[in-house]
């Protein structure tokens, strides 16, 4: 298959591209800079220079492909205060892909998230997000639209990724926690730290995207979940041990001052299950789980800067 991948040089995309190439697929990767294009080419793919705002380019490249994996998202502006703008740009790109693939039965795979889907219990693939007027709901609406592409003759699927896709080189949530612990001199968690996060290794997530584009049925919801729920207190204990700093509770009212922007996520209890995904696609995560990966030490080799 000739597969168009957006976000091809990003944290997940840079694992998806070689996964696809090694499986014999021809990959075209969207690259927004010369450095990104060089990375995509080095991974064995063809680089196309552009961004998710280049709608004509997206339409043309998707139409010339056998399938599309959409990983790109404007995280830079989303986490600097304009999540709505990032979500709206994403929706425009998705609309273009839907039109380009309509009536072809070709696959379209969208990366989405699990955060906040079903707080306090293990969310399953059958759970649908609550939609409201919040900016975050805009991205959930886009995922729902993609599932609806199935009625337009697109073999669409949505991969809901765990909030932490960990691995060597990660600069996301786990790296941010390490950076905060290094700066503060304590490894903290909120309240009793019993709240849980699902997790998946980056390479296992990449394998799931390949399986999805190859054979996920139209309208499939897939969960990129290896660890169903890791207590944040356990994460803090591993970080504290490696940095040789105390592990301590941070009161909820002091969380924003201690953790900054991460506070709004860190206290959520959002376990998730992936049994239906494993059964549907015979996906079997084989890489280290989150705590084992943290214990390998690569998060602590150099000072982490965080997301």
């Amino acid at each position: 298959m000739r597969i168009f991948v957006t976000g091809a040089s990003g944290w997940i995309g840079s694992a998806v591209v070689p996964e696809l190439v090694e499986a014999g697929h021809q990959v075209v990767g969207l690259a927004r800079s010369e450095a990104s294009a060089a990375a995509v080419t080095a991974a064995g793919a063809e680089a196309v220079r552009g961004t998710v705002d280049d709608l004509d380019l997206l339409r043309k490249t998707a139409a010339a492909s056998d399938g599309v994996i959409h990983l790109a998202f404007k995280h830079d502006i989303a986490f600097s205060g304009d999540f709505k703008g990032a979500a709206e740009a994403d929706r425009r790109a998705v609309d273009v892909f839907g039109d380009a693939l309509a009536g072809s039965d070709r696959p379209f795979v969208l990366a989405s998230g699990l955060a906040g889907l079903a707080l306090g219990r293990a969310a399953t693939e059958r759970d649908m997000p609550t939609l409201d007027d919040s900016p975050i709901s805009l991205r959930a609406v886009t995922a729902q639209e993609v599932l609806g592409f199935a009625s337009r003759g697109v073999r669409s699927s949505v991969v809901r990724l765990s909030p932490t896709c960990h691995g060597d080189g990660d600069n996301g949530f786990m790296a941010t926690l390490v950076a905060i612990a290094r700066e503060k001199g304590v490894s903290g968690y909120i309240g009793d730290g019993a709240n849980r996060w699902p997790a998946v290794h980056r390479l296992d997530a990449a394998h799931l995207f390949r399986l999805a584009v190859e054979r996920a049925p139209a309208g499939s919801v897939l969960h990129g979940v290896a660890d169903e729920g890791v207590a944040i207190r356990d994460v803090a204990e591993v970080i504290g041990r490696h940095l040789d700093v105390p592990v301590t509770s941070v009161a909820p009212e002091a969380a924003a001052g201690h953790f900054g922007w991460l506070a709004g996520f860190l206290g959520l209890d959002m376990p998730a299950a992936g049994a239906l995904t494993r059964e549907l696609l015979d996906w079997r995560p084989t890489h280290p789980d989150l705590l084992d990966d943290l214990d390998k030490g690569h998060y602590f080799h150099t000072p982490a800067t965080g997301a």
Side-chain angles (χ1 to χ4, degrees):
M1 295 172 66
R2 178 179 172 88
I3 302 172
F4 180 32
V5 180
T6 70
S9 64
W11 173 237
I12 302 298
S14 59
V16 170
V17 170
E19 171 80 24
L20 293 170
V21 170
E22 289 169 13
H25 298 292
Q26 180 183 3
V27 180
V28 179
L30 185 68
R32 63 179 181 175
S33 69
E34 287 294 341
S36 294
V40 169
T41 302
E46 174 189 342
V48 174
R49 283 293 306 277
T51 74
V52 292
D53 294 321
D54 296 325
L55 300 183
D56 287 341
L57 175 65
L58 300 185
R59 183 180 295 106
K60 178 181 177 181
T61 310
S65 302
D66 298 313
V68 176
I69 299 177
H70 181 41
L71 304 173
F73 190 75
K74 292 185 172 183
H75 291 98
D76 51 347
I77 69 170
F79 288 106
S80 62
D82 190 14
F83 194 98
K84 181 179 180 181
E88 289 175 343
D90 189 53
R91 179 64 175 268
R92 290 191 292 270
V94 164
D95 287 343
V96 165
F97 289 135
D99 290 342
L101 298 175
S104 69
D105 291 322
R106 285 176 286 172
F108 176 61
V109 185
L110 174 74
S112 188
L114 283 162
L117 185 64
L119 299 181
R121 64 170 177 83
T124 76
E125 294 87 341
R126 294 191 177 98
D127 284 306
M128 291 294 119
T130 299
L131 303 179
D132 53 32
D133 294 329
S134 68
I136 292 178
S137 279
L138 292 174
R139 199 172 187 192
V141 169
T142 299
Q144 295 300 99
E145 179 190 8
V146 169
L147 296 177
F149 286 170
S151 66
R152 299 175 59 194
V154 180
R155 184 163 61 80
S156 59
S157 60
V158 172
V159 177
R160 294 172 176 165
L161 288 170
S162 297
T164 178
C165 295
H166 54 90
D168 196 355
D170 177 17
N171 201 36
F173 286 135
M174 291 301 110
T176 301
L177 274 177
V178 171
I180 292 170
R182 203 186 292 273
E183 175 192 353
K184 302 289 186 179
V186 298
S187 180
Y189 53 86
I190 299 174
D192 63 6
N195 61 295
R196 301 152 293 172
W197 277 20
V200 65
H201 195 282
R202 165 179 173 257
L203 298 179
D204 287 320
H207 184 55
L208 178 57
F209 277 102
R210 175 169 72 82
L211 295 178
V213 78
E214 288 176 344
R215 61 176 192 260
S220 297
V221 175
L222 307 169
H223 277 192
V225 172
D227 289 308
E228 182 171 307
V230 181
I232 297 300
R233 181 179 59 241
D234 293 340
V235 171
E237 288 174 351
V238 176
I239 293 173
R241 184 169 68 251
H242 278 268
L243 294 182
D244 194 24
V245 298
V247 179
T248 185
S249 171
V250 176
E253 59 270 20
H258 187 91
F259 295 106
W261 64 267
L262 185 57
F265 298 95
L266 193 61
L268 296 178
D269 185 37
M270 50 181 175
L276 297 178
T277 297
R278 299 187 191 205
E279 179 181 354
L280 180 66
L281 297 180
D282 194 29
W283 176 60
R284 298 290 181 267
T286 59
H287 292 86
D289 63 25
L290 176 57
L291 296 181
D292 285 344
D293 199 23
L294 283 169
D295 247 338
K296 288 182 176 295
H298 54 78
Y299 279 94
F300 311 97
H301 288 165
T302 57
T305 58

